[in-house]
Amino acid sequence: MDPAAQNPFRPLPAVEEVLADPAAAALAARVGRELLVRFVQEELARWREEIRARGLDAAAVRARLEGGELALALAARVRREEGSGIRRAVNAAGVVLHTGLGRAPVHPAAAQAMAEAAASYCVLEVDRFTGERNRRDDRLSALLARLTGAEAGLAVNNNAAAVLLLLNTFAAGRATVVSRGELVEIGGSFRMPDVMERAGTRLVEVGTTNRTGIDDYRRAAGPDTGLLLKVHTSNFRMEGFVAEVDPAALVALGRERGIPVAYDLGSGLLEAEGATPLAMLGAEPRVRAAVAAGFDAVTFSGDKLLGGPQAGLVAGRRAAIAELRANALYRALRLDKVAIAGLEKTLELLLAGRGDEIPARRMLFATADDLRPAAEVLAAAAAAIPGVRAEIAAGESQPGSGSAPAVRLPTWVVRVNAAGLGAEELAARLRAGEPPVFARIQQDELLLDPRTFLAGDLERVAAALRAAVEGAG
Ligand SMILES: *Cc1c(COP(=O)(O)O)cnc(C)c1O
């Protein structure tokens, strides 16, 4: 036999040959010829690698090509390309502030304000009544002050930015005193000591991992101290022989020594008058209480327990807020018009006594009894799919996003088993469907938690399940 015919690389087509196929032309029309060329090159390289690694012979390669494997792989690459990026998803995982799924879904009124600000000109840095230039977050700051009881407010891109601005403004080139037990790492590589270094401040750790008192701060506070900082350990909980510094005592120490005092709250539980308290979160610190304790600045996220768009909010004393605003970094960290529009609307809802309508809060309030009917409807819809077993079971949802980590919210979940499909495979198919559905896997079982459903999601999940299971056939 001709030895060349036995060369397993010989059957592989040239890039141009693949592109000449009418099916490839259709794919090129979807993602552009240039990208498709790259996909073909990468796919052929993958084939060559597999031939080498697995010692495939020419006959095996030919059989694969004749079976259309290359064309199928290219079509899958194109589908993946088209299906990538930010898009609507269904959260069936029961984690209310799911960082991977964009944290808080904003109130429809906030979403509308954001869409309008994005699509049109808007009144951003001008007072429409006097025609004079003003600041983009003047109103937002006023709303924030009213809602928190603070003298003034300020908003930046996220809470990480707020902390960076805080440290840089008050303690660049000087020391920041923090409890050893509060040097937290927030997901996404936000480590308090690293942020301090970037902000140009020197970290002075006081106390021990489990116990810190006011005397620890008192001993460390000196002429070179720029800031006394307290950090809410939002994403973990220490139990046992523990003590953290009392906020009021820390504020008093700051006043006595003339050193600014700040509290990074993170999750930012902001209870407005008239709204039902989020009592299920237990001892989670309240923004209003921190402000009332007299901190110069209190920082928290816009998209955690507040239920708004991504932002870092600062509430505090007038002089401190003015200093933050005067820092040149503020210009680099400020919010865009879209986020401001969504935040103003979210804060207005809270001030109008309509806080209970905010989706994240509504989801946190829901009791197991509230959720049971949705779980039953979904279980019935799932069980009607051939090959699927589904039943409801008592379960637990989570606030998420590092907020109240020890808190579990009683719920009803739907346990789904599809014949011939493992839980991981079923979850992967649900994620790959349109819209993507994110479920939870627990002990090799797929669970769907209706707590985090928005309007229409129950029907979306039922349809997604059917598509995922039928795709198995
Ligand atoms: C979440 C959190 C941050 C970071 O906030 P982002 O808005 O995610 O940037 C900082 N500090 C604490 C204590 C947090 O909980």
Side-chain angles (χ1 to χ4, degrees):
M1 196 176 176
D2 174 9
Q6 283 178 13
N7 177 348
F9 298 99
R10 277 285 286 256
L12 290 180
V15 172
E16 284 309 319
E17 271 177 79
V18 179
L19 293 171
D21 191 279
L27 295 178
R30 281 158 63 183
V31 293
R33 188 181 152 87
E34 212 172 303
L35 187 57
L36 189 65
V37 167
R38 207 166 84 208
F39 287 169
V40 174
Q41 288 165 339
E42 285 171 3
E43 203 51 41
L44 289 172
R46 208 174 58 76
W47 279 55
R48 276 185 225 105
E49 209 168 286
E50 200 181 336
I51 291 169
R52 266 190 294 272
R54 299 183 45 197
L56 298 180
D57 64 17
V61 176
R62 245 180 242 112
R64 284 185 169 202
L65 286 169
E66 277 158 21
E69 267 189 49
L70 182 59
L72 281 175
L74 285 172
R77 292 282 303 256
V78 167
R79 269 200 309 279
R80 179 171 290 215
E81 171 68 21
E82 289 173 334
S84 297
I86 293 188
R87 64 198 49 234
R88 183 190 186 121
V90 176
N91 179 357
V95 179
V96 177
L97 300 167
H98 193 305
T99 299
L101 301 181
R103 289 198 184 156
V106 300
H107 188 282
Q112 193 190 340
M114 294 173 85
E116 274 173 14
S120 61
Y121 294 107
C122 61
V123 181
L124 186 64
E125 291 188 349
V126 56
D127 182 323
R128 60 190 285 226
F129 300 111
T130 63
E132 275 167 29
R133 186 82 187 248
N134 65 7
R135 291 181 309 219
R136 60 177 57 204
D137 60 347
D138 275 348
R139 170 146 175 87
L140 179 57
S141 304
L143 292 172
L144 196 54
R146 241 185 277 164
L147 205 50
T148 60
E151 287 176 4
L154 173 123
V156 286
N157 181 53
N158 53 22
N159 191 36
V163 173
L164 177 71
L165 181 64
L166 182 73
L167 294 168
N168 183 267
T169 302
F170 294 112
R174 305 211 284 156
T176 297
V177 182
V178 186
S179 160
R180 212 163 247 129
E182 297 180 353
L183 287 171
V184 299
E185 170 175 339
I186 310 297
S189 71
F190 179 91
R191 289 181 152 196
M192 203 41 100
D194 300 341
V195 176
M196 292 198 172
E197 193 185 316
R198 284 286 153 184
T201 183
R202 188 163 47 76
L203 167 63
V204 175
E205 301 174 40
V206 297
T208 61
T209 303
N210 55 329
R211 293 180 72 86
T212 301
I214 190 63
D215 288 338
D216 296 311
Y217 275 91
R218 185 180 299 282
R219 275 192 295 273
D224 189 39
T225 304
L227 184 69
L228 303 176
L229 180 65
K230 179 166 175 56
V231 182
H232 174 40
T233 57
S234 44
N235 55 4
F236 71 100
R237 176 128 306 160
M238 281 199 295
E239 281 179 29
F241 189 54
V242 295
E244 56 177 288
V245 71
D246 172 48
L250 192 61
V251 168
L253 175 64
R255 291 283 179 284
E256 178 194 316
R257 302 281 177 88
I259 303 169
V261 195
Y263 193 173
D264 175 25
L265 275 178
S267 48
L269 178 45
L270 188 48
E271 297 293 23
E273 240 164 289
T276 317
L278 289 168
M280 77 295 291
L281 298 180
E284 189 70 16
R286 268 61 175 169
V287 175
R288 289 184 68 95
V291 167
F295 283 94
D296 294 283
V298 173
T299 61
F300 56 101
S301 299
D303 54 353
K304 289 184 180 171
L305 294 174
L306 187 67
Q310 179 188 306
L313 302 173
V314 190
R317 296 166 77 94
R318 195 169 289 109
I321 299 294
E323 274 194 68
L324 292 172
R325 202 183 281 283
N327 187 330
L329 262 186
Y330 169 69
R331 174 63 179 78
L333 304 174
R334 73 180 187 186
L335 284 175
D336 77 308
K337 61 176 183 171
V338 176
I340 294 175
L343 274 169
E344 284 185 358
K345 200 50 86 180
T346 303
L347 297 185
E348 280 165 6
L349 286 165
L350 280 161
L351 280 166
R354 292 174 60 194
D356 293 358
E357 289 177 27
I358 293 172
R361 290 180 73 90
R362 221 184 42 225
M363 290 172 184
L364 289 167
F365 287 132
T367 63
D369 281 350
D370 294 337
L371 297 167
R372 186 168 178 148
E376 280 171 349
V377 170
L378 182 58
I385 303 168
V388 171
R389 275 188 302 120
E391 58 192 14
I392 68 165
E396 289 178 331
S397 331
Q398 289 176 43
S401 201
S403 307
V407 172
R408 292 287 177 275
L409 310 163
T411 189
W412 285 96
V413 295
V414 182
R415 291 212 302 240
V416 181
N417 281 283
L421 271 185
E424 293 285 355
E425 173 62 20
L426 183 55
R429 287 180 186 209
L430 287 172
R431 285 197 311 269
E434 265 337 312
V437 172
F438 288 77
R440 190 158 87 221
I441 292 180
Q442 210 168 295
Q443 285 160 355
D444 279 335
E445 256 188 332
L446 185 104
L447 305 183
L448 301 166
D449 186 340
R451 176 179 302 277
T452 40
F453 285 1
L454 293 161
D457 279 353
L458 199 154
E459 295 73 19
R460 291 186 185 100
V461 173
L465 259 182
R466 185 173 285 275
V469 173
E470 283 171 357

